[in-house]
């Protein structure tokens, strides 16, 4: 294919208008030719050849310069070895002794295997940006293969997971699979279940070569308008993909498919590395800053001053793409563009914006650190991408090493915690043999007490749900007060003067962006405060549950007999299965290794989850609410900016006039109600998560009673001794896990 646009820009150094004039056609015709994926008509090629003095043969052999793929050291090999060694050990030894241990240990084995597979996972590099910023070209460049379609806007409208060819499951024979869109109210295809053949086949829409992405993922594709596709996975033989997965997310702000923006905002929350792209010619203008701020706000914090040597924000890359189009790639001009873009970004952020990340990482985030994450990129001029390529190479080589060590620590702690559980079970089995009469009395008392306990527990559940709803009401009420203080003419005028905003379009956009970020920060602070209160209430609920099953509630003395039932673990295991956590993410983050697994089960990266659990305190709440209201906040900001952009500023008293206009627009667009809806949804998610976890706790307790009754009633010493032996063997099995 003859790349007309690249030939015109790089060889002829002409604008479309100049080029069109020279070959005797209209400019809009040249524009269509450059955007089209079809071959250029022969008569046009003849005109170009005559004008440039080249032969047709020379002309059609011209291709856009292709960068060499990144050369990456395979540091994932060690982590993969750790994972395969543990999983193989679990599968081989677990299956070998399963018949001896009994089905009671199946859940332990499944849980351990699931945790290992989730925590030892390749880091995910997400590519985000407006449509037509060159995301697909960058991806094709770093993977060294033209797999992603690069046709004109928008390139991809589905989330595409790009994985190494060796990560392709045996049951998938094609190069790429397309997965269907989920019905309303149902979570779509889960990439973490790629090795589950039955699951993936149930979601499969189509399969084939990489070209199938064009059919379902580009506007020119035959299946684009059907909206049937939601995600895709493609397998490529690439050096960088040995160390990480790459995710191509739908372009922001295309305007024709609102669900694309929502999809992108959700998917990037689970990225370990974020590459945010903005066209160098309009760098950090329009809605770019809004999307970038939201991306930074929800980006997983993987650096931790106490835990690793990663530089602050080392997993953020802000890219000025198409850098060759700015003064022919002039370094000084591009440096100015990056400087100004960084300054505009910071100008829109309240001082407290970075406090959330500091609470987790322990790092300070100043201008120099943030500016260091801004890079230029183009496939046309090597020197304009070399710094980005150097930094991304360093990061994707370092992350697997950190993940490997952290995963080993994680598994060691799991082995230790489970070993304690086994000791408790063994002690209980021995006690049953030694004091059967007491256990018969204990079981009788448990069953007698159960209706009362269940009723009281149900009342406590209802009270806690009621408390959460009060938190929702209080959050809305407090935010409404803060909203009223910010969205007032006097306050906005003071912001204009304090921040030094001038009477120009760019500053007015920054002003609105700053106001919106201020509102979001206040909302997050309110939710964090209530999430802290919720943690105490959850702890009390669990303590009360444990107290209700203790022997001091019984009418007779059963001695010092203790249960091996772990209330907190049962509740936490249930929470891991919730779709969303809401404020309960704060409680999970305070639970150390156990809480880290809950967060990993939701999709949070291991590095981030462990960082949150180590930091503890308000860091947990920060992680829980950092991404709250993303689509709402962006939507409000863009709507206000669009409305204000057509507002005529008079020379005198413009600050007051502008402030009144902004207040009017916030009111007319019912922005307060939109924020309220986001807050209420947060607490609705919290109620749902609590009910899921509480139901699981009740189910586990009932199962424990049944198991205890089976042992005590039948009282077969041989069976109980077999259980003791099985528990001891399982504990030995855990201690033998190769690390």
């Amino acid at each position: 294919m003859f790349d007309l646009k690249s030939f015109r820009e790089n060889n002829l150094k002409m604008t479309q208008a100049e080029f069109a004039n020279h070959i005797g056609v209209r400019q809009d015709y040249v524009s269509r030719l450059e955007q089209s994926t079809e071959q250029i008509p022969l008569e046009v090629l003849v005109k170009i050849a005559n004008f440039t003095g080249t032969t047709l043969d020379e002309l059609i052999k011209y291709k856009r310069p292709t960068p060499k793929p990144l050369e990456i050291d395979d540091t994932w090999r060690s982590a993969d070895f750790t994972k395969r060694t543990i999983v193989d050990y679990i599968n081989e030894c677990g299956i070998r002794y399963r018949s001896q241990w009994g089905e009671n240990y199946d859940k332990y084995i499944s849980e351990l295997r699931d945790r290992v597979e989730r925590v030892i996972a390749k880091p995910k590099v997400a590519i985000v940006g407006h449509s037509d910023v060159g995301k697909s070209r960058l991806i094709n460049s770093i993977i060294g293969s033209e797999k992603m379609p690069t046709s004109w806007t928008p390139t991809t409208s589905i989330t595409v997971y790009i994985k190494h060819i060796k990560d392709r499951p045996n049951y998938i024979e094609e190069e790429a699979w397309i997965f269907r869109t989920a019905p309303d109210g149902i979570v779509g295809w889960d990439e973490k279940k790629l090795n589950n053949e039955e699951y993936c086949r149930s979601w499969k829409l189509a399969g084939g070569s990489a070209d199938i992405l064009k059919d379902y993922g580009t506007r020119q594709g035959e299946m684009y308008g059907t909206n049937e596709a939601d995600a895709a996975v493609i397998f490529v033989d690439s050096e960088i993909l040995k160390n990480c997965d790459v995710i191509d997310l739908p372009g922001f702000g295309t305007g024709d498919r609102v669900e694309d923006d929502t999809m992108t905002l959700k998917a990037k929350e689970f990225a370990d590395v974020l590459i945010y792209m903005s066209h160098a010619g309009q760098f950090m203008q329009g809605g770019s800053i809004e999307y970038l701020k939201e991306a930074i706000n929800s980006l997983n914090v993987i650096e931790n001053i106490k835990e690793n040597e990663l530089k602050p924000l080392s997993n953020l890359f802000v890219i000025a793409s198409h850098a060759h189009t700015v003064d022919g790639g002039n370094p000084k001009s591009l440096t100015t563009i990056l400087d100004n873009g960084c300054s505009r970004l910071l100008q829109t952020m309240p001082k407290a914006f970075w406090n959330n990340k500091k609470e987790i990482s322990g790092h300070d985030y100043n201008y120099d650190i943030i500016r260091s994450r801004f890079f230029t990129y183009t496939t046309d001029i090597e020197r304009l991408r070399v710094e980005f390529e150097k930094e991304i190479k360093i990061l994707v080589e370092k992350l697997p090493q950190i993940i490997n060590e952290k995963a080993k620590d994680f598994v060691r702690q799991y082995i230790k915690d489970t070993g304690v559980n086994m000791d408790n079970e063994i002690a209980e089995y021995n006690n049953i043999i030694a004091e059967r009469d007491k256990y018969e009395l204990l079981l009788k008392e448990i069953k007698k007490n159960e209706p009362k306990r269940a009723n009281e527990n149900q009342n406590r559940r209802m009270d806690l749900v009621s408390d959460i709803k009060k938190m929702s009401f209080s959050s809305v009420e407090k935010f409404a007060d803060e909203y009223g203080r910010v969205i007032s003419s006097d306050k906005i005028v003071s912001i204009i003067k304090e921040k030094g905003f001038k009477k120009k379009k760019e500053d007015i956009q920054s002003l609105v962006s700053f106001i919106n970020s201020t509102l979001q920060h206040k909302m997050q602070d309110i939710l964090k405060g209530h999430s802290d209160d919720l943690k105490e209430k959850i702890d009390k609920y669990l303590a009360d549950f444990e107290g209700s099953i203790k022997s001091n509630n019984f009418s007779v003395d059963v001695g010092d007999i203790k249960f091996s039932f772990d209330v907190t673990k049962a509740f936490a295991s249930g929470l891991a299965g919730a779709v969303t956590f809401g404020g309960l993410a704060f409680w999970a983050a305070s639970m150390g290794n156990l809480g880290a697994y809950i967060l990993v089960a939701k999709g949070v990266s291991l590095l981030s989850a462990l960082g949150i659990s180590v930091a503890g305190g308000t860091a947990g709440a920060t992680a829980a609410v950092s991404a709250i209201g993303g689509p709402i906040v962006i939507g409000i900001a863009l709507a206000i900016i669009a409305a204000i952009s057509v507002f005529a500023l008079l020379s005198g008293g413009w600050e007051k006039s502008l402030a009144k206009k902004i207040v009017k627009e916030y009111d007319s667009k019912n922005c307060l109600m939109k924020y309220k809806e986001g807050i209420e949804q947060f607490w609705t998610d919290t109620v749902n998560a609590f009910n899921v976890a509480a139901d699981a706790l009740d189910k586990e307790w009932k199962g424990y009673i049944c198991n205890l009754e089976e042992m005590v009633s039948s009282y077969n010493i041989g069976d109980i001794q077999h259980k003791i032996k099985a528990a001891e063997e399982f504990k030995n099995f855990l201690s033998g896990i190769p690390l």
Side-chain angles (χ1 to χ4, degrees), residues 586-602:
F586 182 30
W587 178 84
S590 69
M591 297 305 296
N593 210 59
L594 179 60
Y597 170 69
I598 297 173
L599 297 175
V600 169
K602 184 178 182 290

Side-chain angles (χ1 to χ4, degrees), residues 481-500:
D481 290 341
E482 295 291 351
Y483 180 94
R485 294 188 184 97
V486 174
I487 306 303
S488 71
S489 297
D490 290 342
K491 178 62 177 177
I492 294 173
V493 169
S494 70
I495 292 173
I496 293 173
K497 294 179 178 179
E498 179 185 341
K499 299 285 292 182

Side-chain angles (χ1 to χ4, degrees), residues 176-380:
W177 270 23
I178 307 292
F179 299 97
R180 60 185 174 82
T181 302
D184 290 342
I186 297 178
V187 178
W189 178 72
D190 183 357
E191 172 266 342
K192 299 175 193 63
K193 298 180 180 180
L194 181 62
N195 290 312
N196 186 329
E197 179 177 0
E198 182 180 358
Y199 171 82
C200 288
R201 288 193 182 280
S202 71
W203 282 96
K204 181 183 177 184
L205 181 62
S209 68
D211 290 338
I212 199 172
L213 298 178
K214 297 177 182 177
D215 293 334
Y216 286 91
T218 67
R219 186 177 295 183
Q220 294 79 21
E222 295 180 2
M223 307 303 293
Y224 176 79
T226 63
N227 293 342
E228 292 181 321
D230 177 72
V233 61
I234 180 171
F235 303 95
V236 182
D237 188 4
S238 165
E239 289 298 308
I240 193 172
L241 295 178
K242 290 180 179 179
N243 282 11
C244 66
D245 294 339
V246 174
I247 310 174
D248 184 17
L249 296 168
F252 280 125
T254 58
D256 57 341
R257 299 202 343 174
V258 176
E259 63 270 22
D260 287 352
D261 280 4
T262 302
M263 184 193 312
T264 299
L265 290 167
K266 291 290 185 184
K268 69 167 178 49
E269 290 177 15
F270 306 127
D272 300 284
V273 182
L274 184 71
I275 300 176
Y276 187 92
M277 302 180 69
S278 179
H279 197 295
Q282 301 88 37
F283 189 63
M284 292 293 102
Q285 295 180 13
S288 293
I289 285 181
E290 296 311 309
Y291 287 114
L292 177 57
K293 281 197 304 184
E294 201 283 325
I296 293 173
N297 202 27
S298 59
L299 179 65
N300 286 329
V301 179
I302 64 174
E303 67 268 21
N304 190 291
I305 201 167
K306 297 179 180 179
E307 294 293 308
N308 57 54
E309 297 179 355
L310 293 173
K311 295 186 295 186
L313 294 179
S314 58
N315 60 336
L316 173 68
F317 296 83
V318 183
I319 304 294
S321 64
H322 301 290
H324 65 281
T325 64
V326 177
D327 293 343
N330 182 280
K332 290 184 178 180
S333 299
L334 289 167
T335 297
T336 300
I337 284 174
L338 296 183
D339 289 344
N340 291 341
C342 183
S343 296
R344 280 197 300 275
L345 172 67
L346 291 177
Q347 192 180 32
T348 68
M349 294 175 166
K351 292 180 180 179
F353 182 94
W354 297 100
N355 290 349
N356 290 344
K357 294 190 181 299
K358 183 178 179 180
E359 289 175 359
I360 299 174
S361 72
H363 286 289
D364 287 314
Y365 297 88
N366 53 38
Y367 173 86
D368 290 337
I369 285 175
I370 297 163
R371 172 61 179 84
S372 71
R373 307 316 303 163
F374 282 60
F375 305 86
T376 58
Y377 188 86
T378 176
T379 56
D380 294 62

Side-chain angles (χ1 to χ4, degrees), residues 149-189:
T150 55
S151 55
W152 63 287
T153 180
T155 306
T156 49
S157 61
I158 57 177
T159 299
V160 182
Y161 296 87
I162 308 164
K163 295 174 172 287
H164 193 269
I165 189 69
K166 290 185 178 179
D167 294 329
R168 182 171 64 183
N170 293 331
Y171 70 87
I172 297 181
E173 297 180 352
E174 295 95 338
E175 186 177 27
W177 270 23
I178 307 292
F179 299 97
R180 60 185 174 82
T181 302
D184 290 342
I186 297 178
V187 178
W189 178 72

